[in-house]
Amino acid sequence: ETARDKAIRAKLARIGIGPGKTFAFKDLSLEHKAAILIAMKQGDDKVEVFSWWTGPGEQEGLDALTEDFKRNNPGIEFINATVSGGAGGNAKSVLATRLDAGDPPDSYQAHAGQELASDIKADRVQDISGLYDRQGWRDKFPKGLIEAITVDGKVYSVPVNIHRANLLWYSPKTLDRAGIDAPPATWGDFLTQAQTLKAKGIVPLAVGPLWAQKQLLETVLLGTLGADAYTGLWNGKTDWNSAEVNTALMTAGRVFAVSDVATASSDWQPAMDKVTAGEAAYSVMGDWAYTYNINNKQLTYETDFAVVPTPGSAGVYDFLSDSFTLAKNAPHQGAAEKWLIECGSVEGQDLFNPLKGSVPARTDADKGKYTGYLASAITEWQSDKTKIVGSLAHGVVANVALNDQIDIALKAFVVDFDQKAFASTVGAAYQSTR
């Protein structure tokens, strides 16, 4: 029995058609006819994978992963269904339309954590716990990561990497030109430096579009509140309307006020370019910026650009993880499972991550393949001394409904800096979207 035969048999069993049962196709309901036809389409000849990796520093990693998949599966046509747009904002809208129309790709990208909660509830993705058991993955991924992608005892995605969101990028040459000895250790230090930078005609902080502004916000909250209180914002233990959150949001407002948010870049790469060109001193961005600067801009690490944890977050890893799902009613389920096996493999992750600017989700990857910033990142991620928190902007700690409400509130906040209005709105949204 082939994988395709098994897929057809499993789908027919779900609608009550199995061994010993006879039926006339013409007598079946339209729903059952459709299910049979979908099942018969499921094969191993092609796979459509949906992602948002089209930009510099992202495309190269995906290309390396897909080329390895093709080498391992020469009989399968790989259909690369990418939609451009940083952090997947555009892609998620297109994907939602396709899923609503009953036209799913075989596998689609999602951030590990709460981002998939609505799709799981809507029965848009399949439980792949069996795949984890067959591949022996439960002992190869960190326990905390497995917990982040498990809902009611079931696993719904395969993580290919670990990114760090709480990073402050800068050019040593720019700081030297401004007479600044070192990057800021706290956000208060940053605000002090901002006055010096502005006097020198240097933008203190370059920012990108809304999702990048939200990432900046989460790092200010993290650095001001601390890891435990920051996590409490997403599990109900920290009151959004408390004095400590009000203080943190006041700091965030002051940070935005000295940034170029009024003329924010269209994506994260142009914001990063302002830093390496000496137009801006700093930018908050994830570690995908490392390989962008190294590979795409041909810059030298620690000479042309450097990085430290965002102010107040040393020893904390604000993580996110890109993962891939198996869509419900995937047209080519057998091939889709082989794609997920590629994503979860040592070889696939070690080809993908050094180009993507991330570290492997697996704990048994080849550390020798990770150099420069990535060498320190993989060591810190796997250290028992590192505190782990989840990213807001990248779907770990907040579901889609809550993130959407935060986006609306943030658009107003970066204009009026009304921290009390923002806290009240988000606090109410947290309660209503739980």
Side-chain angles (χ1 to χ4, degrees):
E1 185 177 46
T2 66
R4 179 173 181 273
D5 294 333
K6 291 178 181 177
I8 293 173
R9 181 165 56 81
K11 183 162 286 294
L12 294 180
R14 285 196 287 272
I15 61 173
I17 299 172
K21 301 220 176 169
T22 60
F23 60 91
F25 187 79
K26 65 181 179 64
D27 295 332
L28 294 176
S29 69
L30 183 61
E31 179 183 5
H32 283 181
K33 288 177 181 177
I36 291 172
L37 293 173
I38 290 172
M40 294 178 68
K41 280 179 63 181
Q42 290 180 322
D44 297 326
D45 60 331
K46 64 181 67 173
V47 62
E48 183 187 13
V49 176
F50 188 98
S51 79
W52 55 78
W53 287 327
T54 62
E58 303 170 337
Q59 182 69 54
E60 293 83 359
L62 178 61
D63 287 346
L65 188 62
T66 56
E67 287 304 313
D68 192 54
F69 172 78
K70 292 174 185 177
R71 283 191 294 271
N72 293 331
N73 301 277
I76 299 177
E77 176 189 0
F78 185 88
I79 302 171
N80 185 8
T82 57
V83 175
S84 63
N90 297 336
K92 291 168 189 174
S93 296
V94 174
L95 177 64
T97 300
R98 288 190 58 176
L99 295 177
D100 288 341
D103 178 32
D106 296 299
S107 177
Y108 61 87
Q109 180 183 358
H111 288 127
Q114 291 299 309
E115 184 173 290
L116 262 182
S118 58
D119 282 355
I120 294 170
K121 186 175 181 179
D123 198 27
R124 289 174 164 176
V125 289
Q126 297 188 46
D127 171 19
I128 54 173
S129 303
L131 186 63
Y132 270 73
D133 294 333
R134 293 193 298 274
Q135 295 297 314
W137 285 342
R138 295 184 186 275
D139 295 331
K140 303 303 182 184
F141 294 111
K143 180 181 178 182
L145 182 57
I146 294 288
E147 291 174 351
I149 57 178
T150 301
V151 177
D152 295 331
K154 300 176 181 178
V155 185
Y156 290 91
S157 65
V158 177
V160 295
N161 67 355
I162 297 294
H163 272 304
R164 189 177 190 177
N166 59 316
L167 293 173
L168 186 71
W169 300 89
Y170 67 99
S171 167
K173 299 173 185 176
T174 302
L175 295 194
D176 185 62
R177 176 159 54 96
I180 294 174
D181 295 331
T186 67
W187 283 108
D189 291 343
F190 166 77
L191 291 169
T192 298
Q193 288 187 10
Q195 301 311 309
T196 300
L197 292 163
K198 288 169 66 177
K200 297 283 187 178
I202 301 169
V203 176
L205 186 68
V207 299
L210 184 62
W211 69 266
Q213 296 164 30
K214 185 160 57 176
Q215 184 171 322
L216 170 59
L217 172 68
E218 76 181 63
T219 62
V220 178
L221 291 173
L222 173 62
T224 307
L225 294 171
D228 292 340
Y230 167 81
T231 300
L233 293 172
W234 319 115
N235 63 20
K237 294 182 179 180
T238 300
D239 184 356
W240 274 95
N241 295 295
S242 65
E244 61 176 342
V245 174
N246 184 73
T247 298
L249 288 173
M250 285 181 64
T251 299
R254 295 176 65 196
V255 169
F256 276 111
V258 298
S259 76
D260 63 354
V261 68
T263 56
S265 299
S266 59
D267 212 336
W268 66 268
Q269 294 97 336
M272 185 60 54
D273 291 344
K274 291 181 181 179
V275 173
T276 55
E279 299 171 20
Y282 301 108
S283 188
V284 170
M285 190 44 55
D287 45 16
W288 47 90
Y290 173 73
T291 46
Y292 170 71
N293 284 329
I294 291 286
N295 298 332
N296 298 93
K297 305 300 290 187
Q298 300 294 303
L299 300 175
T300 301
Y301 179 53
E302 295 185 326
T303 299
D304 298 319
F305 73 101
V307 66
V308 292
T310 50
S313 70
V316 181
Y317 215 103
D318 183 14
F319 97 96
L320 60 137
S321 176
D322 294 300
S323 65
F324 283 91
T325 65
L326 178 61
K328 191 70 177 287
N329 296 325
H332 312 96
Q333 176 144 340
E337 290 188 1
K338 291 180 180 178
W339 163 250
L340 294 180
I341 291 171
E342 173 70 30
C343 291
S345 69
V346 172
E347 296 78 8
Q349 295 203 2
D350 278 342
L351 284 168
F352 172 80
N353 285 294
L355 293 172
K356 182 63 168 62
S358 47
V359 300
R362 293 183 66 119
T363 58
D364 57 348
D366 184 356
K367 289 186 178 180
K369 295 183 181 295
Y370 300 85
T371 59
Y373 159 77
L374 294 177
S376 60
I378 194 170
T379 298
E380 190 162 359
W381 168 249
Q382 296 184 3
S383 171
D384 293 336
K385 297 180 181 179
T386 302
K387 278 200 147 187
I388 307 297
V389 301
S391 171
L392 163 66
H394 301 281
V396 180
V397 295
N399 60 36
V400 173
L402 177 55
N403 251 315
D404 286 347
Q405 291 300 309
I406 292 175
D407 285 347
I408 295 170
L410 184 57
K411 287 179 182 178
F413 179 68
V414 299
V415 175
D416 60 26
F417 307 130
D418 187 338
Q419 76 274 5
K420 291 185 178 179
F422 180 86
S424 177
T425 299
V426 176
Y430 172 79
Q431 295 297 330
S432 66
T433 57
R434 295 179 67 178

